[in-house]
Amino acid sequence: MTYALITGASKGIGLSMAHALASRKYNLLLVARSGEELDGIAKELSSRWQVKADYLAIDLSLPEAAANVYEWCKAGNYPVSVLINNAGYAVWGNFISRSLEEHQQMVRVNAETPVALCHYMLPILQQQQQSYILNVSSTAAYQAVSTLALYAASKSFLLLFSRALRQELKSSNVSVTCVCPGPVKTNFINRASMQAIQKTADKYGMMPDAVADIAIKGMFRKKSEIIPGALNIISAFLTRLVPKSLVEKIAADLYKTK
């Protein structure tokens, strides 16, 4: 069996996707920042599902991160047939209130590194009988969101890039899918220091296992775009019908800092 490479694999949706793929007997390549966490997770996945699980601890906000991941895969001679660009996070606050470096690091993780990984890994994916790319975007991709300006923009970028890449590869053995979850009960809010909307997230958030299950099944069905959850599907659809100014006002009220 070939390998699945998953970024942001130490927790949340990424960890749930690792279990979903291991249950299908995919060997795993786990990428995240914490080597100690990844070591324990790799051992647990390997023991539970009887698959191989290797890991690379790396900061994906570094400009050279994607190249380093590729070199690791090449050195290990891993036959990767699934690439999941799951790592991502938000910087919350008025644009000018956060440092330029914070914004740039987030954009690298959310957009630049996934693009680079697709570029580096495609030659490996094309060597397999059938391969898949799954990019994890967000329902934030469907509208501008003040106080999350670059997060929403980076997720919109990833969605449009995925759709374009899918068209370019439609006659090949590589299928490209983008999943756009709404609120998910992960560490996302704590990392972004968005505790002010914790109650809303708890009320409407999906469990990571459910999101991962929908995403993985959709990926294998070669779907173009996946929005997990009926409420999220309706919300995304309404952004096409309702005037942008109203959609953006609603989003601004929801994610306001005070």
Side-chain angles (χ1 to χ4, degrees), residues 58-71 108 113 116-117 120:
I58 191 169
D59 183 351
L60 293 174
S61 72
L62 298 174
E64 66 274 15
N68 289 341
V69 172
Y70 167 70
E71 291 299 335
R108 275 197 291 271
T113 297
L117 278 173
Y120 281 120

Side-chain angles (χ1 to χ4, degrees), residues 121-233:
M121 297 303 297
L122 261 171
I124 296 177
L125 295 169
Q126 289 171 329
Q127 292 173 13
Q128 317 312 320
Q129 184 174 358
Q130 176 64 56
S131 295
Y132 305 87
I133 294 174
L134 176 62
N135 290 327
V136 180
S137 180
S138 165
T139 51
Y142 296 107
Q143 67 279 303
V145 184
S146 62
T147 71
L148 287 170
L150 276 173
Y151 174 75
S154 66
K155 290 301 185 178
S156 181
F157 169 90
L158 189 60
L159 172 59
L160 294 179
F161 166 70
S162 300
R163 293 185 67 90
L165 185 62
R166 176 184 176 86
Q167 285 297 315
E168 291 184 15
L169 297 171
K170 64 182 180 180
S171 299
S172 77
N173 64 322
V174 183
S175 175
V176 181
T177 298
C178 190
V179 60
C180 299
V184 184
K185 295 180 180 179
T186 65
N187 193 49
F188 177 89
I189 284 179
N190 287 332
R191 182 169 183 185
S193 299
M194 296 171 66
Q195 286 79 9
I197 64 165
Q198 186 70 60
K199 289 184 179 179
T200 302
D202 288 343
K203 183 176 181 179
Y204 296 106
M206 295 180 66
M207 297 303 294
D209 284 352
V211 173
D213 182 62
I214 292 168
I216 296 299
K217 286 179 178 176
M219 177 189 75
F220 283 131
R221 290 171 185 157
K222 300 183 179 181
K223 289 188 174 182
S224 171
E225 195 170 321
I226 304 165
I227 304 173
L231 184 60
N232 295 320
I233 292 172

Side-chain angles (χ1 to χ4, degrees), residues 1-4 21 24-27 51-52 79-81 128:
M1 179 62 73
T2 57
Y3 280 79
L21 287 165
R24 292 168 169 81
K25 298 305 176 184
Y26 273 83
N27 296 316
V51 297
K52 295 178 182 178
V80 178
S81 65
Q128 317 312 320

Side-chain angles (χ1 to χ4, degrees), residues 20-54:
L21 287 165
S23 71
R24 292 168 169 81
K25 298 305 176 184
Y26 273 83
N27 296 316
L28 301 171
L29 299 175
L30 311 173
V31 177
R33 290 181 299 169
S34 173
E36 188 174 344
E37 274 188 306
L38 287 173
D39 184 63
I41 289 167
K43 288 175 181 175
E44 195 240 326
L45 286 163
S46 181
S47 174
R48 178 176 178 182
W49 301 109
Q50 299 300 300
V51 297
K52 295 178 182 178
D54 294 331

